[in-house]
Every structure is written in C-alpha cells, then in structure tokens.
Amino acid sequence: MSASVGDQWRRGPVEAAFRRLRVPCLALLVFSAVMNVLGLTGSFYMLQVYDRVLPSRSGPTLAALSILAAGLFVAYGLLDFFRGRVSSRVGLALGRLLEGLAFRAGLARRGHVLEPVSDLDRLREFVSGPGFAAVLDVPWVPVYLVVIYVLHPVLGLVATGAAGLLCVLAAASEHWTRRVNARAHAARGRRAAFADAVRRADCGVIALASTQDLARQFVMLSEEHSANQMQAQDTAQSLAALSKVLRLIAQSGLIGLGALLVIDGEVSAGAIMAASVICSRALAPLDAVILHWRSLVAARASLRRLAGALALRRDEGPRTLLPRPRSTVAVQNLTLHAPGRATAVLRDVSISLLAGEALGIIGPCGSGKSSLARALVGAWPVADRCGSVRFDEAADDQWPANALERDVGYLPQEALLLGGTLAQNISRFRPDATSEAIVAAAKAAGVHGAILLLADGYETRVGEGRAVLSAGQRQRVALARALYGEPFLVVLDEPSSNLDGEGEAALCDAVRGVRRRGGIAVIVAHRASALAAVDRVLALSGGRVHALGSKALVLSHALEAQHPRARTTHVSTGVSQGGLKVVVEHGGGGGT
C-alpha cells in the first residue's frame, strides 16, 4: 500500500470502523492462537502412541491419551465454529458501519455510484470467508517450523524449504494475476455500465437500435470479461495445484528422510509421523492463501479504493454551526473541472446574487451552463485554489457536511425519480417530512392536482416496475422536489424541456414564489419562455462569462448575435464590487 493510501487509511473512516471492531477482531486473534496450539494435538498424539504406548503395550495409557486428544479435538472444533461466527459478524458489522458512507461517497463519484458499495461488499465477503481465516493462521507457520526443528534440524530445513517455495508461489501469484485481475475488473465495469445505460434509456435506445444489435454488443463485452476471468482463474488454479503438489511432496519427503534418520538412530519412529503431520499443518495456511489468492488480491484492492473514496469525503468532525443562508450567493473566480477530466469546463466565472433575485443562464451547447448549475448546488465540488461558491460570504466547504442540503433545491436536466412513492420523492426521502410540506411543494410546482388524479395519489409508487409517468409529469414532480422545504437557492436546469404551456406557467409562478419569499432562483434555459420570471441573465460562451446584466440587454445582444443586421449593439463585461457588469455601446450614438 502506497504512502498516500496509508495516510488515507490512518485518518479515514475505514480505519475508524476497524478500531470500533477491535474487540471482536482481538477475539479472532485469540481464537486463532488457541486453535493453532491445539492444531499440534494430532502430532503429539501420534508421537506418544508410537514412542510410549507401543513400546510399553499399555492400554490405560492409550485410553488416557485418546480421551485427552478427543477432548482437545472437540475444543478445536468449537473454536473453529466460533471463529467463523465471529468473523461473519465482523463482516456484517463492517458493512453496517460503512455502507452509508460508501453509498454517499459513490454519489459524489458521478458515473461510479456503486463502486464503493461493491468494494465494501467484496471486503465484507472476504472478512467473512475462509481466505481471511487462512490469513489469520499464516503468522503461526514459523511456530510449526520451530517445532519440526526441535524434532530434528534436517526435518526443519526440509519443511522450511517447502514453506519458502510456497511463499515464492504466492509472490508469483501477485505478479501474474495483478494485471489480469485489473483487466477483468475494468471489463466487468464496462459491461455493467452498458447494461445500466440501456436500462435507463429504455424505449429510447430500443427504438433506435434493434435488440439484436444491443445484445451483440453486450455479448462482446461479456466475452471480454469472461476471457479475462478465465485467464485469471486458470492462473490461480494452476498455482493452487502446484502448491498442493509441493505440500504432498514435502510431507512424503519428510517421511522418507525421517526413515533414514530412524535407521541411523537419530530420531524415533513417532517423530517421523509427528513431523509429517506438523509440516502439513504448517503448510496448510500458505496453501489456503494461494488457493484464495484472487479473493485476497480483490479484497486488498477494494480496501485501497474504499479507503481512498472515503478519505475524499469532507471531514465530518465537529464544526461551528453557521446560520442558514438568507442574503447572498456568490461565485468568485470559479474555474471548474468535470470529474475525471483535465480540461476546465468553466474559467474565471464570477457572479453575485441577492435574496429575491432570479438569474437566467443562457449559452450555446457545451458552454458550461449545466456545469455551473452543478457547482452551485455542490454536485461538482470546487477544487482548492480554483475559486469558491459562497453562501452569505461563507464558502461551501466551511459549512458542516450536508448542512446546505435543506437550503438548496436542484432540478437536473434528466428528471429521474427514485424507487418509492411520489411523496417520498418530493420530500427527498427525509424521515421527518410532513404532509403539509409535501403538499405545499407540489402546489408550488403546480402538480398537486395532477397527483390527486392518480389512483393512489401521493402514495403512487414510481421506479422499477411501478407507475409510468409522462416526461412532463416527472419533470413537475422533480420541480416539487427542488422546491420542498422552501430552500434559499433553487437551481433549475432546463426545467421547461418537457412542459406544455400550462406547465411553463406553473414554472414561472414557482420562480416568482421563490423570489417573493426572499429566495434566489437560477434557471438554465434554451427557451426564452423559461426566463419570463427572471430579471438578470448570464450568457456563457466557451466556459467564460460573455455577458451579465438585465434580461432585456443580454437577450437583445443574443438576438443581435443571431441577426447582426438587426442592431449594432456590442456588450462587454467588466469587474466591479458587485460582480460583473454589462457595458452596452450603441453604434449610432455611442451611448452606454
């Protein structure tokens, strides 16, 4: 694990979760220690039978040894049972402690929502499985080798050599399977992403491409994944088979070598059998680790990715609670990069909005309108030294995690509804939601009457296999979700794309309602009708501010850009204390 990953581990939630589970983890270590001591029972039983019982022909001694060995074997079985139970519960507890954080970290990884959750599942399965038990037994391998050395140094050297060869095989497994496992993981991700994209697109994709063509593409991705999986499995199985052969050769070699030592009178016959059994017990954890090497490597990679993903989350320690924003929202010198991209989508953008204002954002496709909307609501976090988004003069990273969620409403371009009731979707699944607030948000979005016409009203379930709403209905329900709780800042990205005339009128009424109660509304739009309730307009071009000012001036400039013969008006921007200002120069009179 690299130094950076080690730092993430030491100060991250994963390390904190394991620290909270230190008592059951300590119990696992104690169980493993006692079990490995009891693992010597069979060897010493054979040693006593061959070296004491047979020469003395003592039946009572044999009976006493057998009863003692049987009791120790029962204790070993009980400890193995309890270790398995504790291990599975440690995995379950680990999931309970981290699954919420993992899901929230996935939400911040746009396009990789389930990756931290999958990593947590893989880590939890490994902790609960036999591979983790083998790892707990590996530290006891040297103890068994020392016992064999006590029986005879030559036997100890042979057992140590066999253990060394198995360690070399484990290192070879690391080298040979690393790239194959990485390719298999990437191929699995591409296949899952394709299937999820087709599922989300639903009829739209099927109408443009035949199901046969889609199935052919999915099969190609599956074959790529299967080929990598098969290569990884073949490598792992070959190494596992080779480790078993080495272990069997080592055991038989100890018996043969021990026989020579018995002939020379250096060891007893019982020592031969004891050394063989102890060698088998010493090499078993290494053999098991090689057998489960793929799951071990996958769990280690999952731990690294999970620790990194959770370490990127904002520190949720105690913070000074700030009053809810009520005055301004300002963007200062914002340069924004889309997640996973090096090229900036916004460059040096600055705007300032006061309570009661509404801003429209216009510009050609790819100009950065939706990117600015995501930055305003915190969907795309702003990197250090790349500007800031401030609420009442406080940067968004100065607020405690999730503190601004109740004061920010967002309607994205794709108005997706999550599995649940309409009431749950409107209330953003908040457990403390009230019926009054849900109905108020629906009325503000002009969708209350449409919901009442549904058979189950607000309890209508949407999502997979549930009620099918029209695009306009989904958008108006999503608008109600953005307005729920009367947030201070409401950002609407293309809110009228699926609305009819009645829906657009309801949208304008909703924006006016936000302004009347002292909130701020920001609307990203291509259609002028969506800007009826705004008083200021920001024009973006190439990720930069092209113009910012009153709606009439900026829209007239946009109209002139499309029809240059209509007027000869030029708009330039400059910086003032209030943000950016528009200077309009009329070609005929030279006024501003």
Side-chain angles (χ1 to χ4, degrees), residues 397-562:
D397 60 358
Q398 297 178 12
W399 298 80
N402 307 320
L404 289 175
E405 289 182 354
R406 60 182 177 178
D407 293 304
V408 174
Y410 179 46
L411 172 62
Q413 285 187 9
E414 190 176 4
L416 292 177
L417 301 181
L418 305 178
T421 65
L422 289 178
Q424 288 175 321
N425 273 272
I426 292 175
S427 66
R428 311 178 191 181
F429 291 85
R430 291 180 178 172
D432 58 347
T434 63
S435 300
E436 293 78 6
I438 294 172
V439 173
K443 288 183 177 180
V447 73
H448 174 69
I451 292 177
L452 295 181
L453 293 177
L454 299 174
D456 295 323
Y458 282 90
E459 306 310 313
T460 301
R461 300 193 69 85
V462 294
E464 297 291 339
R466 302 296 184 177
V468 178
L469 304 180
S470 68
Q473 288 175 321
R474 288 198 306 271
Q475 195 151 27
R476 292 173 73 173
V477 171
L479 175 60
R481 178 175 59 194
L483 298 173
Y484 175 80
E486 297 187 346
F488 175 61
L489 173 65
V490 178
V491 180
L492 311 176
D493 193 352
E494 296 292 345
S496 61
S497 57
N498 295 305
L499 298 182
D500 53 15
E502 180 183 354
E504 289 188 349
L507 171 65
C508 292
D509 289 340
V511 174
R512 294 188 184 98
V514 172
R515 299 183 63 182
R516 281 195 300 269
R517 60 177 173 80
I520 294 175
V522 176
I523 302 176
V524 177
H526 277 112
R527 294 159 58 176
S529 58
L531 303 178
V534 307
D535 53 347
R536 300 172 65 199
V537 173
L538 167 68
L540 293 175
S541 179
R544 297 181 181 273
V545 175
H546 182 62
L548 173 62
S550 67
K551 178 172 63 175
L553 291 177
V554 177
L555 291 183
S556 66
H557 172 60
L559 178 63
E560 178 194 342
Q562 296 178 358

Side-chain angles (χ1 to χ4, degrees), residues 158 246-259 272 276 279:
V158 173
L246 287 176
R247 181 162 58 87
L248 293 174
I249 291 176
Q251 289 180 247
S252 300
L254 282 178
I255 293 176
L257 181 59
I272 300 176
S276 178
C279 180

Side-chain angles (χ1 to χ4, degrees), residues 166-181:
L166 290 181
C167 291
V168 171
L169 278 181
S173 298
E174 169 73 12
H175 177 71
W176 290 338
T177 62
R178 181 187 306 166
R179 293 184 179 180
V180 178
N181 286 329

